[in-house]
Amino acid sequence: MAGTTTALVIGGGIAGPVTALALHKAGITPTVFEAYDQAAVDAGAMLTVAPNGLAALGIVGLEEAVQAAGHPLHEMVMEKGSGKKLMSVPALPGLAPSCTILRSELLRVISEGAAKEDIDVQYGKRLVSVDEDATSVTATFSDGTSATGDILVGADGIHSAVRTLIDPAAPGPQYTGLMSFGFGDFAADGTLNDSKPGAIDAMHFAFGKKSFYGYWRQPDGTDAFFSNFPQERPMTLAEARAVPKEEWLAKLRASHVGDKPGERLFAAASPAKMLVAGPMERMPKVPHWYRGRMVLVGDSVHAPSSSSGQGASLAIESAIELAHCLRDVTDVTEAFAAYEKRRRRRVEEISAQAAKTNSGKTNGAAATFVFGLLMPILRRTILVPEKMFGPVHRFRIDWGEVVSAE
Ligand SMILES: Cc1cc2nc3c(=O)[nH]c(=O)nc-3n(C[C@H](O)[C@H](O)[C@H](O)COP(=O)(O)OP(=O)(O)OC[C@H]3O[C@@H](n4cnc5c(N)ncnc54)[C@H](O)[C@@H]3O)c2cc1C
C-alpha cells in the first residue's frame, strides 16, 4: 500500500477533530464527518483533561486555549460517606494541574482550532456503509452522499459504527452497573451554565453509604455534584431520560441518606438543575483496531469509563499517535500496526484500573468498609499519588521521534 495523503475522519466529537488537526500537521489532508447537524448538540457535562491529555493537545497547539476555557483542578479528595477524609491528591510536582472543562467548551476550542487550519468539517453526515478497494476507501452517509479517501478513521464514539464495519463480531460497550446523574446550574439543553475561568480548589469524591458521589464548589460560588447510582438493570440514555426526573431524584435522595454532605446536597437538589447523564459504560478489549484502510481512535476502541478521568485524555493521545505513525510509516497496514502497538497496552491498563474502581462503586457500603480497613496499609503502599497517577499523568508523546514500522 502507498503512503497516506487523504483521510476521512468519522465523528466530530473530541477524538475526530484532534485526529484531523494532527493529520494536517503530519501533511495529510483530513475531512471530518459528524452525524449531528451542529458541533455542540447535547454536549454533555463536565469532563477532565489530565496533564497527559493537555500535553498531547499542546502538540496541535491547543493546550493553552483549553486551559483558558476550563478550570484548573488543584486537589482531588477521597472521602468516606461520613465525610471522613481518606486521602488527598494534589497536582503532581512539576505538572500542570488537570483541567476541568465543559464538554461543549472543549468541543468549541477544538473546533475553532480546526477552523483556523481550514480543516473541512461536515455536519449531518452519518456514516452507514463503507466500500474499500486496493487504493482507497469510500464512505456512504445516510443522506445518500459519499466521500473517498486513502484511509478512514473511526472516531465515532463508544457506539461506533466503524468498529462493526471493521469486525462484525467486535464487542459492544459494557454497562458498568451504574447510572450517572449531574447537578449544577444546568441550562434546559443540559449544559452547565458556567464557563467563567477560575480555579476549582478541590473536587471531592466520596464512597457514600449506598452510592458513590462527587461534589465541588464552582468558581462562581455555586455547588456542582454528581451521583453514580448502582442499578442492576441496564437502560439506554433515552430510557433513562424518559423516567421523570422527580422519580430519579427521590431514589438518589434515599440512597444518600446519612452521607455527609451528600444528604444535604441531594435534599436541596432540584429536577430543573439535574442532568440525567445515563448509563456508565466502558469498552471491553477490542480484538481488531484496524482492518484494510479503516482504523479506530478514541472511545470507539478504548472507552475506559468515566471513573478513570481519562476518556478524553486517552482519546486525544491516540488521535495524535495515529497521525504520528501515518506521518512516518508509508505502508498503511504497517502504520496502523505501529499505532496499535504504541497504544494498546497503555489504554487497556488504565481501563482495567477504572473497572476495579467501578466495582468498588457498585459494592457501596461493603467496599467502603473494606477500603476503610485497608486504608492505613494502602496509604503507605499503592495510594501514593505519584504511584497512582505518575505513570498516567507523566506520559508524553514525542512528536519529534521518527516512528519506524515494526
Ligand atoms: C453527547 C455526549 C456527551 C458526553 N458527555 C460527557 C461528560 O459529561 N463527561 C465525560 O467525561 N465524558 C462525556 N462524553 C464522553 C467523552 O466525550 C469521550 O469519552 C471522550 O471525549 C472521547 O471522545 P470521542 O471523540 O472518542 O467520542 P465522542 O465524544 O463520543 O464523539 C463521537 C462523535 O462521533 C459522532 N458519531 C457517532 N456515530 C457516527 C456516525 N455513524 N457517523 C458520523 N458521526 C458519528 C457522534 O455524534 C459524536 O460527535 C460524552 C460524549 C457524548 C457523545
Side-chain angles (χ1 to χ4, degrees):
M1 286 185 183
T4 306
T5 58
T6 58
L8 312 175
V9 179
I10 308 301
I14 308 301
V18 176
T19 305
L21 275 162
L23 287 171
H24 173 77
K25 190 177 166 87
I28 296 165
T29 305
T31 308
V32 179
F33 298 94
E34 165 57 42
Y36 283 113
D37 281 334
Q38 44 183 326
V41 171
D42 196 13
M46 199 80 140
L47 51 76
T48 303
V49 185
N52 52 304
L54 287 169
L57 280 171
I59 293 173
V60 288
L62 292 181
E63 180 175 7
E64 284 171 14
V66 167
Q67 284 170 317
H71 309 296
L73 170 61
H74 293 299
E75 187 188 11
M76 287 188 290
V77 181
M78 306 299 296
E79 296 172 355
K80 284 186 173 188
S82 62
K84 188 177 173 216
K85 187 164 159 176
L86 292 169
M87 74 177 293
S88 153
V89 184
L92 297 180
L95 293 186
S98 291
C99 175
T100 57
I101 184 167
L102 292 174
R103 185 174 178 276
S104 54
E105 280 293 284
L106 183 57
L107 269 178
R108 177 186 63 74
V109 172
I110 293 172
S111 303
E112 283 174 8
K116 228 185 249 171
E117 299 297 338
D118 287 329
I119 287 167
D120 184 9
V121 182
Q122 301 188 15
Y123 293 98
K125 299 284 178 189
R126 180 170 292 279
L127 178 86
V128 287
S129 65
V130 163
D131 276 313
E132 269 188 275
D133 61 29
T135 55
S136 67
V137 53
T138 298
T140 301
F141 304 100
S142 57
D143 62 359
T145 58
S146 61
T148 299
D150 292 340
I151 61 162
L152 181 144
V153 180
D156 52 346
I158 195 164
H159 296 278
S160 170
V162 178
R163 187 173 61 230
T164 317
L165 290 168
I166 287 177
D167 174 13
Q174 270 174 357
Y175 175 54
T176 58
L178 297 161
M179 300 291 288
S180 186
F181 302 88
F183 295 85
D185 195 7
F186 288 107
D189 66 355
T191 52
L192 196 57
N193 283 327
D194 174 34
S195 54
K196 291 179 282 304
I200 292 178
D201 291 332
M203 236 180 209
H204 300 255
F205 298 96
F207 290 90
K209 291 194 164 43
K210 292 192 177 139
S211 300
F212 184 87
Y213 73 106
Y215 63 97
W216 63 97
R217 179 72 31 105
Q218 294 279 103
D220 67 358
T222 59
D223 286 328
F225 46 104
F226 69 85
S227 179
N228 295 162
F229 178 71
Q231 176 176 283
E232 238 170 79
R233 185 170 74 85
M235 277 176 133
T236 63
L237 177 60
E239 285 166 346
R241 288 190 174 167
V243 175
K245 284 184 175 175
E246 290 76 6
E247 226 174 90
W248 281 123
L249 191 50
K251 287 187 183 182
L252 294 178
R253 283 183 178 141
S255 142
H256 288 288
V257 167
D259 290 340
K260 278 188 196 150
E263 181 171 346
R264 173 180 62 75
L265 291 171
F266 288 91
S270 80
K273 296 192 171 184
M274 172 173 179
L275 176 74
V276 180
M280 284 172 63
E281 296 177 315
R282 65 180 287 270
M283 272 310 294
K285 190 180 166 95
V286 174
H288 302 287
W289 282 36
Y290 63 90
R291 179 176 64 78
R293 296 185 165 268
M294 295 186 282
V295 64
L296 298 169
V297 75
D299 272 10
S300 65
V301 68
H302 53 58
S305 108
S306 56
S307 294
S308 69
Q310 281 286 326
S313 299
L314 291 183
I316 293 163
E317 281 181 7
S318 289
I320 304 283
E321 191 61 84
L322 174 62
H324 188 198
C325 294
L326 285 162
R327 179 194 70 184
D328 294 346
V329 181
T330 312
D331 182 274
V332 170
T333 309
E334 287 180 357
F336 290 168
Y339 157 68
E340 178 182 347
K341 178 136 198 243
R342 284 163 173 254
R343 297 299 300 156
R344 188 186 269 279
R345 188 161 160 205
R346 172 167 169 81
V347 299
E348 287 179 354
E349 279 175 6
I350 292 171
S351 184
Q353 189 53 46
K356 279 190 206 155
T357 308
N358 285 334
S359 82
K361 290 180 180 180
T362 45
N363 291 332
T368 313
F369 180 70
V370 175
F371 197 59
L373 285 181
L374 293 176
M375 200 61 202
I377 307 167
L378 295 177
R379 213 181 263 132
R380 285 194 306 274
T381 53
I382 51 174
L383 292 186
V384 176
E386 186 62 49
K387 272 194 195 161
M388 279 176 79
F389 296 104
V392 178
H393 287 186
R394 292 191 189 281
F395 179 87
R396 296 293 177 268
I397 294 168
D398 179 3
W399 184 257
E401 177 205 353
V402 177
V403 180
S404 46
E406 294 302 320

